[in-house]
Amino acid sequence: MRIIKRKVLIEFWERPGYADAQAALEAWYREAKAAAWKDPADIKAKHGTASILKGGRVVFNIRGNKYRLIVEINYKSGIAYIRFVGSHEEYDRIDAEVVR
């Protein structure tokens, strides 16, 4: 997959108090970059706790659900757009289906 907006991940773990997310987000990035997801079932096969939303969006649980990562995936073109990364509390305050 081609990952768009990786900088969002870096900016998150560089925020005070979120350095513990770095290793998990880097591992997710490496895996996603090497992946060839063709549909949501491909993601669920590897990430059983991921939530599949409308519009090609997927919510990944990071570090045992301490953090949430929302990615919008265009399966046909093989592009994944990072839309949000934050704590579980921050995630609870947004609408995962429309956040940009």
Side-chain angles (χ1 to χ4, degrees):
M1 301 296 292
R2 182 171 164 221
I3 312 298
I4 306 295
K5 294 177 81 174
R6 179 176 182 253
K7 185 177 180 181
V8 172
L9 301 179
I10 296 166
E11 289 171 348
F12 179 72
W13 75 60
E14 288 180 342
R15 286 172 45 193
Y18 296 105
D20 64 329
Q22 183 174 354
L25 289 170
E26 286 179 331
W28 177 89
Y29 176 80
R30 283 190 306 273
E31 180 187 334
K33 189 172 168 104
W37 297 321
K38 299 296 181 198
D39 55 42
D42 287 347
I43 293 171
K44 288 296 275 185
K46 178 73 177 173
H47 299 276
T49 62
S51 299
I52 307 301
L53 307 178
K54 293 185 271 186
R57 289 187 177 220
V58 180
V59 180
F60 291 93
N61 298 316
I62 305 295
R63 281 211 74 228
N65 206 20
K66 183 175 182 180
Y67 304 112
R68 294 285 183 95
L69 172 64
I70 301 172
V71 180
E72 185 175 335
I73 301 173
N74 183 319
Y75 296 98
K76 187 175 181 178
S77 65
I79 298 175
Y81 301 88
I82 296 170
R83 296 299 187 194
F84 170 88
V85 62
S87 68
H88 200 129
E89 294 78 21
E90 291 169 324
Y91 172 83
D92 287 342
R93 293 191 299 264
I94 58 129
D95 183 343
E97 293 183 347
V98 298
V99 69
R100 288 270 176 222

Short mmCIF file of all heavy atoms in Angstrom, two decimals, residues 42-93:
data_model
loop_
_atom_site.label_atom_id
_atom_site.label_comp_id
_atom_site.label_asym_id
_atom_site.label_seq_id
_atom_site.Cartn_x
_atom_site.Cartn_y
_atom_site.Cartn_z
N ASP A 42 -9.30 -8.74 4.03
CA ASP A 42 -7.85 -8.89 4.14
C ASP A 42 -7.34 -8.26 5.43
O ASP A 42 -6.45 -8.80 6.09
CB ASP A 42 -7.13 -8.24 2.95
CG ASP A 42 -7.28 -9.02 1.66
OD1 ASP A 42 -7.72 -10.18 1.70
OD2 ASP A 42 -6.95 -8.44 0.60
N ILE A 43 -7.90 -7.11 5.78
CA ILE A 43 -7.48 -6.43 7.01
C ILE A 43 -7.96 -7.20 8.23
O ILE A 43 -7.19 -7.43 9.16
CB ILE A 43 -8.02 -4.99 7.03
CG1 ILE A 43 -7.33 -4.19 5.91
CG2 ILE A 43 -7.77 -4.33 8.39
CD1 ILE A 43 -7.90 -2.82 5.68
N LYS A 44 -9.21 -7.63 8.24
CA LYS A 44 -9.75 -8.36 9.38
C LYS A 44 -9.02 -9.68 9.61
O LYS A 44 -8.89 -10.12 10.76
CB LYS A 44 -11.25 -8.62 9.20
CG LYS A 44 -12.13 -7.40 9.34
CD LYS A 44 -12.08 -6.79 10.72
CE LYS A 44 -13.03 -7.47 11.67
NZ LYS A 44 -13.08 -6.81 12.99
N ALA A 45 -8.50 -10.28 8.55
CA ALA A 45 -7.77 -11.54 8.69
C ALA A 45 -6.50 -11.33 9.52
O ALA A 45 -6.08 -12.22 10.27
CB ALA A 45 -7.43 -12.11 7.32
N LYS A 46 -5.89 -10.18 9.40
CA LYS A 46 -4.65 -9.88 10.12
C LYS A 46 -4.90 -9.09 11.40
O LYS A 46 -4.21 -9.25 12.39
CB LYS A 46 -3.71 -9.10 9.18
CG LYS A 46 -2.42 -8.68 9.78
CD LYS A 46 -1.47 -9.84 9.97
CE LYS A 46 -0.15 -9.32 10.52
NZ LYS A 46 0.75 -10.33 10.88
N HIS A 47 -5.89 -8.20 11.35
CA HIS A 47 -6.21 -7.32 12.48
C HIS A 47 -7.66 -7.55 12.88
O HIS A 47 -8.55 -6.77 12.52
CB HIS A 47 -6.00 -5.85 12.09
CG HIS A 47 -4.60 -5.52 11.70
ND1 HIS A 47 -3.63 -5.22 12.64
CD2 HIS A 47 -3.99 -5.47 10.50
CE1 HIS A 47 -2.49 -5.00 12.02
NE2 HIS A 47 -2.68 -5.15 10.72
N GLY A 48 -7.88 -8.59 13.63
CA GLY A 48 -9.24 -8.97 14.00
C GLY A 48 -9.98 -7.93 14.82
O GLY A 48 -11.21 -7.88 14.81
N THR A 49 -9.26 -7.05 15.51
CA THR A 49 -9.91 -6.03 16.32
C THR A 49 -10.15 -4.73 15.56
O THR A 49 -10.74 -3.80 16.11
CB THR A 49 -9.08 -5.71 17.58
OG1 THR A 49 -7.82 -5.18 17.19
CG2 THR A 49 -8.91 -6.94 18.46
N ALA A 50 -9.70 -4.66 14.32
CA ALA A 50 -9.94 -3.45 13.52
C ALA A 50 -11.43 -3.31 13.25
O ALA A 50 -12.15 -4.29 13.10
CB ALA A 50 -9.17 -3.52 12.20
N SER A 51 -11.90 -2.06 13.22
CA SER A 51 -13.30 -1.78 12.92
C SER A 51 -13.40 -1.28 11.49
O SER A 51 -12.70 -0.34 11.11
CB SER A 51 -13.85 -0.72 13.87
OG SER A 51 -13.79 -1.17 15.20
N ILE A 52 -14.27 -1.90 10.72
CA ILE A 52 -14.49 -1.50 9.33
C ILE A 52 -15.67 -0.53 9.31
O ILE A 52 -16.76 -0.86 9.76
CB ILE A 52 -14.78 -2.73 8.45
CG1 ILE A 52 -13.69 -3.80 8.61
CG2 ILE A 52 -14.97 -2.32 7.00
CD1 ILE A 52 -12.29 -3.37 8.25
N LEU A 53 -15.44 0.66 8.77
CA LEU A 53 -16.47 1.69 8.69
C LEU A 53 -16.87 1.91 7.24
O LEU A 53 -16.26 1.37 6.32
CB LEU A 53 -15.95 3.00 9.29
CG LEU A 53 -15.39 2.95 10.70
CD1 LEU A 53 -14.90 4.33 11.11
CD2 LEU A 53 -16.43 2.44 11.67
N LYS A 54 -17.86 2.77 7.04
CA LYS A 54 -18.28 3.14 5.69
C LYS A 54 -17.17 3.93 5.00
O LYS A 54 -16.31 4.51 5.65
CB LYS A 54 -19.54 3.99 5.74
CG LYS A 54 -20.76 3.26 6.24
CD LYS A 54 -21.99 4.12 6.14
CE LYS A 54 -22.15 4.93 7.42
NZ LYS A 54 -23.37 5.70 7.48
N GLY A 55 -17.26 3.99 3.69
CA GLY A 55 -16.34 4.82 2.91
C GLY A 55 -14.92 4.35 2.88
O GLY A 55 -13.99 5.15 2.67
N GLY A 56 -14.69 3.06 3.10
CA GLY A 56 -13.33 2.53 3.05
C GLY A 56 -12.50 2.84 4.27
O GLY A 56 -11.29 2.63 4.28
N ARG A 57 -13.12 3.32 5.32
CA ARG A 57 -12.38 3.65 6.53
C ARG A 57 -12.22 2.45 7.45
O ARG A 57 -13.12 1.63 7.57
CB ARG A 57 -13.05 4.79 7.28
CG ARG A 57 -12.88 6.09 6.52
CD ARG A 57 -13.37 7.25 7.30
NE ARG A 57 -13.12 8.45 6.52
CZ ARG A 57 -12.70 9.58 7.03
NH1 ARG A 57 -12.52 9.70 8.32
NH2 ARG A 57 -12.48 10.63 6.25
N VAL A 58 -11.06 2.43 8.11
CA VAL A 58 -10.74 1.36 9.05
C VAL A 58 -10.16 2.02 10.30
O VAL A 58 -9.33 2.93 10.21
CB VAL A 58 -9.72 0.37 8.46
CG1 VAL A 58 -9.39 -0.73 9.45
CG2 VAL A 58 -10.21 -0.21 7.15
N VAL A 59 -10.60 1.55 11.46
CA VAL A 59 -10.05 2.00 12.73
C VAL A 59 -9.18 0.88 13.29
O VAL A 59 -9.66 -0.23 13.53
CB VAL A 59 -11.16 2.36 13.74
CG1 VAL A 59 -10.54 2.83 15.06
CG2 VAL A 59 -12.11 3.40 13.18
N PHE A 60 -7.90 1.19 13.44
CA PHE A 60 -6.94 0.23 14.00
C PHE A 60 -6.71 0.56 15.47
O PHE A 60 -6.60 1.74 15.83
CB PHE A 60 -5.60 0.31 13.26
CG PHE A 60 -5.65 -0.18 11.85
CD1 PHE A 60 -5.88 0.70 10.80
CD2 PHE A 60 -5.44 -1.52 11.55
CE1 PHE A 60 -5.92 0.26 9.49
CE2 PHE A 60 -5.47 -1.98 10.24
CZ PHE A 60 -5.71 -1.09 9.22
N ASN A 61 -6.65 -0.46 16.29
CA ASN A 61 -6.30 -0.30 17.70
C ASN A 61 -4.79 -0.40 17.82
O ASN A 61 -4.19 -1.37 17.36
CB ASN A 61 -6.97 -1.40 18.54
CG ASN A 61 -8.47 -1.31 18.47
OD1 ASN A 61 -9.04 -0.24 18.56
ND2 ASN A 61 -9.12 -2.44 18.30
N ILE A 62 -4.19 0.61 18.43
CA ILE A 62 -2.74 0.69 18.56
C ILE A 62 -2.38 0.59 20.04
O ILE A 62 -3.01 1.23 20.88
CB ILE A 62 -2.22 2.03 17.97
CG1 ILE A 62 -2.66 2.22 16.51
CG2 ILE A 62 -0.69 2.14 18.13
CD1 ILE A 62 -2.10 1.22 15.53
N ARG A 63 -1.36 -0.20 20.33
CA ARG A 63 -0.89 -0.42 21.71
C ARG A 63 -2.00 -0.90 22.62
O ARG A 63 -2.30 -0.28 23.65
CB ARG A 63 -0.24 0.83 22.30
CG ARG A 63 1.18 1.04 21.81
CD ARG A 63 2.10 1.72 22.79
NE ARG A 63 2.49 0.81 23.86
CZ ARG A 63 2.45 1.13 25.15
NH1 ARG A 63 2.02 2.30 25.54
NH2 ARG A 63 2.85 0.27 26.04
N GLY A 64 -2.63 -1.98 22.21
CA GLY A 64 -3.65 -2.57 23.05
C GLY A 64 -4.86 -1.68 23.25
O GLY A 64 -5.46 -1.67 24.32
N ASN A 65 -5.20 -0.92 22.23
CA ASN A 65 -6.36 -0.04 22.22
C ASN A 65 -6.15 1.24 23.02
O ASN A 65 -7.10 1.97 23.30
CB ASN A 65 -7.62 -0.77 22.70
CG ASN A 65 -8.88 -0.17 22.13
OD1 ASN A 65 -8.87 0.51 21.13
ND2 ASN A 65 -9.99 -0.43 22.78
N LYS A 66 -4.92 1.54 23.39
CA LYS A 66 -4.62 2.80 24.07
C LYS A 66 -4.77 3.96 23.09
O LYS A 66 -5.18 5.06 23.46
CB LYS A 66 -3.21 2.76 24.65
CG LYS A 66 -2.84 4.00 25.44
CD LYS A 66 -1.48 3.87 26.09
CE LYS A 66 -1.16 5.09 26.93
NZ LYS A 66 0.16 4.97 27.58
N TYR A 67 -4.43 3.68 21.84
CA TYR A 67 -4.50 4.69 20.78
C TYR A 67 -5.36 4.16 19.64
O TYR A 67 -5.51 2.95 19.47
CB TYR A 67 -3.10 5.04 20.25
CG TYR A 67 -2.19 5.51 21.36
CD1 TYR A 67 -1.10 4.76 21.76
CD2 TYR A 67 -2.43 6.71 22.01
CE1 TYR A 67 -0.26 5.18 22.77
CE2 TYR A 67 -1.60 7.15 23.04
CZ TYR A 67 -0.52 6.38 23.41
OH TYR A 67 0.30 6.80 24.43
N ARG A 68 -5.89 5.07 18.84
CA ARG A 68 -6.69 4.72 17.68
C ARG A 68 -6.11 5.39 16.44
O ARG A 68 -5.68 6.53 16.49
CB ARG A 68 -8.14 5.18 17.86
CG ARG A 68 -8.90 4.48 18.97
CD ARG A 68 -9.27 3.08 18.53
NE ARG A 68 -10.06 2.35 19.49
CZ ARG A 68 -11.39 2.28 19.49
NH1 ARG A 68 -12.10 2.94 18.62
NH2 ARG A 68 -12.00 1.54 20.40
N LEU A 69 -6.16 4.66 15.35
CA LEU A 69 -5.66 5.13 14.06
C LEU A 69 -6.77 4.92 13.04
O LEU A 69 -7.26 3.80 12.87
CB LEU A 69 -4.42 4.33 13.67
CG LEU A 69 -3.86 4.53 12.27
CD1 LEU A 69 -3.36 5.97 12.08
CD2 LEU A 69 -2.73 3.54 12.01
N ILE A 70 -7.18 6.01 12.38
CA ILE A 70 -8.20 5.91 11.34
C ILE A 70 -7.52 6.09 9.99
O ILE A 70 -6.80 7.07 9.77
CB ILE A 70 -9.29 6.99 11.51
CG1 ILE A 70 -9.97 6.85 12.87
CG2 ILE A 70 -10.32 6.89 10.37
CD1 ILE A 70 -10.93 7.98 13.20
N VAL A 71 -7.77 5.15 9.12
CA VAL A 71 -7.19 5.15 7.78
C VAL A 71 -8.31 4.98 6.77
O VAL A 71 -9.21 4.16 6.96
CB VAL A 71 -6.16 4.00 7.63
CG1 VAL A 71 -5.54 3.99 6.26
CG2 VAL A 71 -5.09 4.12 8.70
N GLU A 72 -8.27 5.79 5.72
CA GLU A 72 -9.23 5.66 4.62
C GLU A 72 -8.49 4.95 3.48
O GLU A 72 -7.46 5.44 3.01
CB GLU A 72 -9.71 7.03 4.17
CG GLU A 72 -10.78 6.98 3.12
CD GLU A 72 -11.33 8.36 2.81
OE1 GLU A 72 -11.26 9.26 3.66
OE2 GLU A 72 -11.81 8.53 1.68
N ILE A 73 -9.01 3.82 3.06
CA ILE A 73 -8.31 2.98 2.09
C ILE A 73 -9.04 2.93 0.76
O ILE A 73 -10.24 2.67 0.71
CB ILE A 73 -8.13 1.56 2.64
CG1 ILE A 73 -7.33 1.62 3.95
CG2 ILE A 73 -7.44 0.66 1.61
CD1 ILE A 73 -7.23 0.30 4.68
N ASN A 74 -8.29 3.20 -0.29
CA ASN A 74 -8.79 2.99 -1.65
C ASN A 74 -8.16 1.68 -2.10
O ASN A 74 -6.99 1.64 -2.50
CB ASN A 74 -8.39 4.15 -2.56
CG ASN A 74 -8.96 4.01 -3.94
OD1 ASN A 74 -8.97 2.92 -4.51
ND2 ASN A 74 -9.41 5.11 -4.51
N TYR A 75 -8.92 0.62 -1.98
CA TYR A 75 -8.39 -0.72 -2.25
C TYR A 75 -7.97 -0.87 -3.71
O TYR A 75 -6.96 -1.51 -4.00
CB TYR A 75 -9.42 -1.79 -1.88
CG TYR A 75 -9.73 -1.81 -0.41
CD1 TYR A 75 -10.86 -1.16 0.08
CD2 TYR A 75 -8.91 -2.46 0.49
CE1 TYR A 75 -11.15 -1.17 1.45
CE2 TYR A 75 -9.18 -2.47 1.85
CZ TYR A 75 -10.31 -1.82 2.32
OH TYR A 75 -10.59 -1.83 3.66
N LYS A 76 -8.73 -0.28 -4.61
CA LYS A 76 -8.45 -0.42 -6.04
C LYS A 76 -7.10 0.19 -6.41
O LYS A 76 -6.32 -0.40 -7.16
CB LYS A 76 -9.56 0.22 -6.86
CG LYS A 76 -9.45 -0.01 -8.33
CD LYS A 76 -10.66 0.54 -9.07
CE LYS A 76 -10.53 0.27 -10.56
NZ LYS A 76 -11.70 0.75 -11.28
N SER A 77 -6.80 1.36 -5.86
CA SER A 77 -5.54 2.03 -6.20
C SER A 77 -4.41 1.66 -5.24
O SER A 77 -3.25 2.03 -5.49
CB SER A 77 -5.73 3.54 -6.23
OG SER A 77 -6.05 4.03 -4.94
N GLY A 78 -4.73 0.99 -4.14
CA GLY A 78 -3.69 0.61 -3.19
C GLY A 78 -3.14 1.77 -2.39
O GLY A 78 -1.96 1.81 -2.06
N ILE A 79 -4.01 2.73 -2.06
CA ILE A 79 -3.59 3.90 -1.31
C ILE A 79 -4.33 3.96 0.01
O ILE A 79 -5.55 3.78 0.06
CB ILE A 79 -3.84 5.20 -2.11
CG1 ILE A 79 -3.01 5.19 -3.40
CG2 ILE A 79 -3.52 6.43 -1.27
CD1 ILE A 79 -3.28 6.36 -4.32
N ALA A 80 -3.59 4.22 1.08
CA ALA A 80 -4.16 4.37 2.42
C ALA A 80 -3.86 5.79 2.92
O ALA A 80 -2.69 6.18 2.97
CB ALA A 80 -3.58 3.34 3.37
N TYR A 81 -4.91 6.52 3.25
CA TYR A 81 -4.78 7.90 3.74
C TYR A 81 -4.96 7.91 5.25
O TYR A 81 -6.03 7.52 5.74
CB TYR A 81 -5.85 8.79 3.12
CG TYR A 81 -5.83 8.86 1.62
CD1 TYR A 81 -6.53 7.93 0.86
CD2 TYR A 81 -5.12 9.86 0.96
CE1 TYR A 81 -6.52 7.98 -0.53
CE2 TYR A 81 -5.11 9.91 -0.42
CZ TYR A 81 -5.80 8.98 -1.16
OH TYR A 81 -5.79 9.03 -2.53
N ILE A 82 -3.98 8.37 5.97
CA ILE A 82 -4.11 8.48 7.41
C ILE A 82 -4.98 9.69 7.70
O ILE A 82 -4.68 10.80 7.27
CB ILE A 82 -2.73 8.61 8.09
CG1 ILE A 82 -1.93 7.33 7.85
CG2 ILE A 82 -2.88 8.92 9.58
CD1 ILE A 82 -0.49 7.41 8.25
N ARG A 83 -6.09 9.46 8.41
CA ARG A 83 -7.05 10.52 8.70
C ARG A 83 -6.98 11.01 10.14
O ARG A 83 -7.32 12.13 10.42
CB ARG A 83 -8.47 10.06 8.37
CG ARG A 83 -8.70 9.76 6.92
CD ARG A 83 -8.46 10.98 6.09
NE ARG A 83 -8.84 10.76 4.69
CZ ARG A 83 -8.48 11.56 3.72
NH1 ARG A 83 -7.73 12.62 3.98
NH2 ARG A 83 -8.84 11.31 2.49
N PHE A 84 -6.54 10.13 11.06
CA PHE A 84 -6.52 10.51 12.47
C PHE A 84 -5.66 9.51 13.23
O PHE A 84 -5.68 8.32 12.96
CB PHE A 84 -7.95 10.46 13.03
CG PHE A 84 -8.03 10.60 14.53
CD1 PHE A 84 -8.11 11.84 15.12
CD2 PHE A 84 -8.05 9.46 15.34
CE1 PHE A 84 -8.18 11.96 16.51
CE2 PHE A 84 -8.13 9.57 16.72
CZ PHE A 84 -8.20 10.83 17.30
N VAL A 85 -4.94 10.03 14.20
CA VAL A 85 -4.30 9.19 15.21
C VAL A 85 -4.41 9.96 16.52
O VAL A 85 -4.20 11.17 16.58
CB VAL A 85 -2.84 8.83 14.86
CG1 VAL A 85 -1.95 10.05 14.77
CG2 VAL A 85 -2.28 7.82 15.85
N GLY A 86 -4.81 9.24 17.56
CA GLY A 86 -4.97 9.90 18.84
C GLY A 86 -5.23 8.89 19.94
O GLY A 86 -5.33 7.68 19.71
N SER A 87 -5.36 9.42 21.13
CA SER A 87 -5.67 8.58 22.27
C SER A 87 -7.10 8.09 22.14
O SER A 87 -7.89 8.63 21.35
CB SER A 87 -5.51 9.37 23.57
OG SER A 87 -6.52 10.36 23.66
N HIS A 88 -7.43 7.08 22.91
CA HIS A 88 -8.79 6.57 22.88
C HIS A 88 -9.77 7.67 23.29
O HIS A 88 -10.85 7.81 22.70
CB HIS A 88 -8.92 5.37 23.82
CG HIS A 88 -10.09 4.51 23.53
ND1 HIS A 88 -10.00 3.16 23.38
CD2 HIS A 88 -11.39 4.80 23.33
CE1 HIS A 88 -11.19 2.65 23.13
NE2 HIS A 88 -12.05 3.63 23.09
N GLU A 89 -9.38 8.50 24.24
CA GLU A 89 -10.24 9.60 24.68
C GLU A 89 -10.45 10.62 23.56
O GLU A 89 -11.56 11.13 23.38
CB GLU A 89 -9.64 10.28 25.91
CG GLU A 89 -9.60 9.40 27.15
CD GLU A 89 -8.45 8.38 27.13
OE1 GLU A 89 -7.45 8.56 26.40
OE2 GLU A 89 -8.57 7.36 27.84
N GLU A 90 -9.39 10.95 22.82
CA GLU A 90 -9.53 11.88 21.69
C GLU A 90 -10.43 11.28 20.61
O GLU A 90 -11.25 11.99 20.02
CB GLU A 90 -8.15 12.21 21.11
CG GLU A 90 -7.29 13.05 22.03
CD GLU A 90 -5.84 13.15 21.58
OE1 GLU A 90 -5.30 12.16 21.03
OE2 GLU A 90 -5.25 14.21 21.78
N TYR A 91 -10.27 10.01 20.37
CA TYR A 91 -11.09 9.31 19.38
C TYR A 91 -12.57 9.39 19.74
O TYR A 91 -13.43 9.58 18.88
CB TYR A 91 -10.64 7.85 19.27
CG TYR A 91 -11.55 7.00 18.42
CD1 TYR A 91 -11.41 6.98 17.04
CD2 TYR A 91 -12.55 6.22 19.00
CE1 TYR A 91 -12.25 6.19 16.25
CE2 TYR A 91 -13.38 5.44 18.23
CZ TYR A 91 -13.22 5.43 16.85
OH TYR A 91 -14.07 4.66 16.08
N ASP A 92 -12.88 9.27 21.01
CA ASP A 92 -14.27 9.30 21.46
C ASP A 92 -14.94 10.65 21.19
O ASP A 92 -16.16 10.73 21.18
CB ASP A 92 -14.36 8.97 22.95
CG ASP A 92 -14.12 7.49 23.23
OD1 ASP A 92 -14.21 6.66 22.30
OD2 ASP A 92 -13.81 7.16 24.40
N ARG A 93 -14.15 11.69 20.96
CA ARG A 93 -14.70 13.03 20.74
C ARG A 93 -14.86 13.39 19.26
O ARG A 93 -15.29 14.49 18.94
CB ARG A 93 -13.82 14.08 21.42
CG ARG A 93 -13.84 13.97 22.94
CD ARG A 93 -13.19 15.17 23.61
NE ARG A 93 -11.79 15.35 23.26
CZ ARG A 93 -10.76 14.91 23.99
NH1 ARG A 93 -10.99 14.25 25.12
NH2 ARG A 93 -9.52 15.13 23.61
#
